[in-house]
Every structure is written in C-alpha cells, then in structure tokens.
Amino acid sequence: MSPGPFFAHHTHAAGEEPAASWRPLSEVLDDGPVLRDRVAQVQAVLAAGGGDVELRVAASVAHLGLAARLLSPALASALGEAAVPDYADAWWQPTVGGAFPLSLPKAEPSGEDLVELFDRRVLSGPLARLDTAIGAFSLSETIRRGNVASALNGAMTMLHSERPEWTDEATAFVGRLEALPALADTATRDRGRFRRKSCCLIYRAAPAHDGPKCGDCVLV
C-alpha cells in the first residue's frame, strides 16, 4: 500500500506508450502552455481566499507541489526496491490540484550507487528541467532550491510515519542527497529538525500578504 497520494503511481513497461488519456510528463517540465496553465490554476485557487496573489507566489506553490509529486515515488522506490525509476519515460494526466496521476516505468535495481542514480534520474533530470521553467516566473533560485529540499524532507517525514522500519535508512539516504550540489546549503537540521533557509512565499497568498508561515520556514 502506498504511504499517500504523492507516492502512488501507475507503472508501464519501459518504452511502452500508455493509453491516449496519458500525456508525456515532459510537457509540464518546460516553460510552455501546460505549465503556465497550471500556475494560473494555482493562482486562481489561492486568490479564492480573497488575497491578491502574485504570480511568483502561485509559481512557488505550484513548483513545491510538482517537486513533491516527482520526488516522493522515487524516494519510496529507492528505499523499498533499491531502484530509481527513469523519469525520461514518464507520463501524467492533467488534473487540478493535488497529486496528479503519474505513470513511471518499472524500476529495476542496477547495482549503481542509489544516491548517484537518484541525482541523475530525479534531481538533475526532471527537477532540474522544472527548475529552469519555474525560473521564468521571477522566482529566485534560492526559493526554488528550498522548495525541492522542503519537498524531499516532507516525503521522508511521511515515510518515517508510514514505514517506520525504513526510518534509519531513509534518514541516512536523504542526508546524502542533501549534501549533493543540487541541495547543499538549502536547509539546516538541529537535532533532526529541518528548517529551510528560504521561504516558499505561501504566506503572501493571504489578504494583506500576512498569512501563516510553514513550520519549516526560515521566517518562523
């Protein structure tokens, strides 16, 4: 059983094209109409609360959700199967909000160091591509990198709760990931408590741009 919706995904044979309802994940990783529509949808949802939501705030919230959706199944696969799926052959189904349906090729153990494989197939793959696209919304690199770190920590925290037998391995694995160039110096850990060095900006979605801060925010 999946630990939660952000971990759940379909599988397909490598190189196999899913049914017509599936779309290539690549279309949401680049600065194009699909990603821009998704950011606009997030902006509309946030603005429903009565705030004047800046585009960069919506972009940050959308980016954080997308990062969590991409990181979570890969982390669970690395810890549970000693394998990392290849996101170059990934598919999705557009939905508004939440964890959209995701289909990944069946991951198989390769014998390669899992941290290096995770970096190449996830952090330096789809997440790096998404990072470039989200940068077009005037969202700083510091916030973008912090969003990825926060999404990874959130996935690890959920696995600690749902898969307690993985706790030590997950903590060590994520610690190695956090030392990689893609995530280095994005956050601190004090007695295990994660605190990012940036803010995702969601507090600015509230009226007067004065909403509550996230528990791991640098502003808390």
Side-chain angles (χ1 to χ4, degrees):
M1 181 180 296
S2 170
F6 279 81
F7 294 86
H9 65 280
H10 299 262
T11 58
H12 60 267
E16 176 184 280
E17 185 169 326
S21 61
W22 290 93
R23 306 280 305 168
L25 181 66
S26 58
E27 69 182 13
V28 78
L29 300 178
D30 295 320
D31 179 20
V34 173
L35 181 60
R36 290 191 170 270
D37 284 350
R38 192 165 185 87
V39 171
Q41 290 169 356
V42 171
Q43 187 177 32
V45 170
L46 294 174
D52 178 18
V53 180
E54 304 151 276
L55 185 61
R56 72 187 184 111
V57 173
S60 180
V61 174
H63 177 237
L64 186 54
L66 289 168
R69 186 66 180 109
L70 299 178
L71 282 165
S72 298
L75 182 61
S77 178
L79 296 171
E81 303 172 30
V84 179
D86 186 356
Y87 282 79
D89 181 22
W91 300 76
W92 79 308
Q93 290 178 336
T95 58
V96 179
F100 55 78
L102 180 67
S103 185
L104 300 170
K106 175 64 177 175
E108 301 290 347
S110 67
E112 184 176 346
D113 180 82
L114 279 177
V115 169
E116 294 178 2
L117 188 61
F118 195 101
D119 184 22
R120 188 175 77 250
R121 288 190 172 178
V122 185
L123 298 178
S124 299
L127 284 172
R129 188 169 172 177
L130 178 63
D131 177 81
T132 299
I134 289 293
F137 293 86
S138 299
L139 192 66
S140 74
E141 180 184 9
T142 299
I143 293 175
R144 300 193 314 262
R145 294 179 71 236
N147 283 349
V148 174
S150 186
L152 180 63
N153 180 70
M156 180 187 70
T157 300
M158 182 63 71
L159 287 177
H160 282 176
S161 175
E162 298 296 326
R163 298 286 189 273
E165 68 276 16
W166 294 359
T167 295
D168 291 345
E169 183 182 359
T171 300
F173 186 75
V174 169
R176 290 185 62 197
L177 291 176
E178 290 175 339
L180 293 172
L183 294 174
D185 203 36
T186 56
T188 61
R189 288 190 182 275
D190 181 11
R191 293 186 292 272
R193 180 176 179 179
F194 173 88
R195 186 179 299 279
R196 57 186 286 175
K197 294 185 176 181
S198 61
C199 172
C200 73
L201 305 179
I202 194 170
Y203 78 95
R204 296 184 62 82
H209 299 162
D210 192 27
K213 313 299 191 299
C214 302
D216 64 2
C217 183
V218 68
L219 301 179
V220 174

